Amino acid sequence: AQKITQTQPGMFVQEKEAVTLDCTYDTSDQSYGLFWYKQPSSGEMIFLIYQGSYDEQNATEGRYSLNFQKARKSANLVISASQLGDSAMYFCAMREYGSGNTGKLIFGQGTTLQVKP
Amino acid sequence: EAGVAQSPRYKIIEKRQSVAFWCNPISGHATLYWYQQILGQGPKLLIQFQNNGVVDDSQLPKDRFSAERLKGVDSTLKIQPAKLEDSAVYLCASSQDLGGYNEQFFGPGTRLTVL
């Protein structure tokens, strides 16, 4: 069964430093996608970055990069040069693309990130 | 392009009352999702529509929850009667289609408090 695990309930980082948020996943599908979302206190889910299971290079989007280690089934989010506005809840999610799958997202428990000035 | 709209943004009811949430997806998006997010947890899919048909409602508590998507556009999620454990944020999302990579766009959510 598909599952996402985020083992860090809360993280602190100093402003301008880099931080890594951990995510491990479990799936029997060969074709899947991994997503990271940011959820500020206002509640909206903001898409950050995507990695497909067949993508050979790690995804990058501005200050966000995804450290994809397929053999370890991990998809850690790296935020470089942290800003105060990065303080939020971060969710890792997975979507399976195999036959019969509906494309629903399975989310992890989330990690709360606080950026210190 | 307008985003996913949801209303109301907040709702407070007493247990055993009924409540309804409304979602208007991005124009042209065939797939619509309702997620329940309990405080401190990740969102959990309740029901998924493709146009006006149900694709997945395996985690919808059907004894009290119902949802419809008339004409394949707007959707309504209803709870009747509400329980204390239904207190959560209800997120609506839409995507262009079902298969392959289709980004899901989320609405602002409806925060429900059941007293």
Side-chain angles (χ1 to χ4, degrees), chain A residues 20 32 50 66 79 88:
Chain A
T20 299
Y32 52 89
Y50 169 81
L66 200 152
I79 305 175

Tab-separated table of all heavy atoms in Angstrom, chain A residues 20 32 50 66 79 88:
chain	number	residue	atom	x	y	z
A	20	THR	N	16.903	20.829	5.296
A	20	THR	CA	16.414	19.645	4.591
A	20	THR	C	15.238	19.047	5.347
A	20	THR	O	15.344	18.765	6.544
A	20	THR	CB	17.517	18.585	4.443
A	20	THR	OG1	18.602	19.133	3.681
A	20	THR	CG2	16.987	17.347	3.734
A	32	TYR	N	5.419	6.750	-10.639
A	32	TYR	CA	4.765	7.555	-9.611
A	32	TYR	C	5.379	8.948	-9.621
A	32	TYR	O	6.403	9.198	-10.259
A	32	TYR	CB	4.912	6.919	-8.229
A	32	TYR	CG	6.337	6.559	-7.847
A	32	TYR	CD1	7.157	7.484	-7.211
A	32	TYR	CD2	6.852	5.300	-8.148
A	32	TYR	CE1	8.456	7.170	-6.888
A	32	TYR	CE2	8.160	4.973	-7.815
A	32	TYR	CZ	8.959	5.904	-7.191
A	32	TYR	OH	10.255	5.580	-6.869
A	50	TYR	N	8.031	19.116	-8.012
A	50	TYR	CA	7.584	17.788	-8.440
A	50	TYR	C	8.766	16.965	-8.957
A	50	TYR	O	9.661	17.498	-9.640
A	50	TYR	CB	6.542	17.936	-9.550
A	50	TYR	CG	6.206	16.643	-10.249
A	50	TYR	CD1	5.310	15.763	-9.675
A	50	TYR	CD2	6.778	16.308	-11.478
A	50	TYR	CE1	4.988	14.569	-10.308
A	50	TYR	CE2	6.475	15.122	-12.113
A	50	TYR	CZ	5.574	14.259	-11.527
A	50	TYR	OH	5.259	13.076	-12.145
A	66	LEU	N	14.847	19.004	-4.819
A	66	LEU	CA	14.377	17.736	-4.281
A	66	LEU	C	15.514	16.735	-4.405
A	66	LEU	O	16.005	16.480	-5.506
A	66	LEU	CB	13.131	17.270	-5.065
A	66	LEU	CG	12.226	16.253	-4.382
A	66	LEU	CD1	10.792	16.390	-4.875
A	66	LEU	CD2	12.736	14.840	-4.634
A	79	ILE	N	15.605	23.437	1.122
A	79	ILE	CA	15.320	24.862	0.939
A	79	ILE	C	16.619	25.603	1.207
A	79	ILE	O	17.190	25.502	2.310
A	79	ILE	CB	14.226	25.362	1.897
A	79	ILE	CG1	12.956	24.522	1.749
A	79	ILE	CG2	13.911	26.835	1.616
A	79	ILE	CD1	11.862	24.879	2.766
A	88	ALA	N	6.221	27.681	7.804
A	88	ALA	CA	4.955	27.071	7.372
A	88	ALA	C	5.009	25.576	7.652
A	88	ALA	O	6.012	25.051	8.132
A	88	ALA	CB	4.728	27.298	5.877
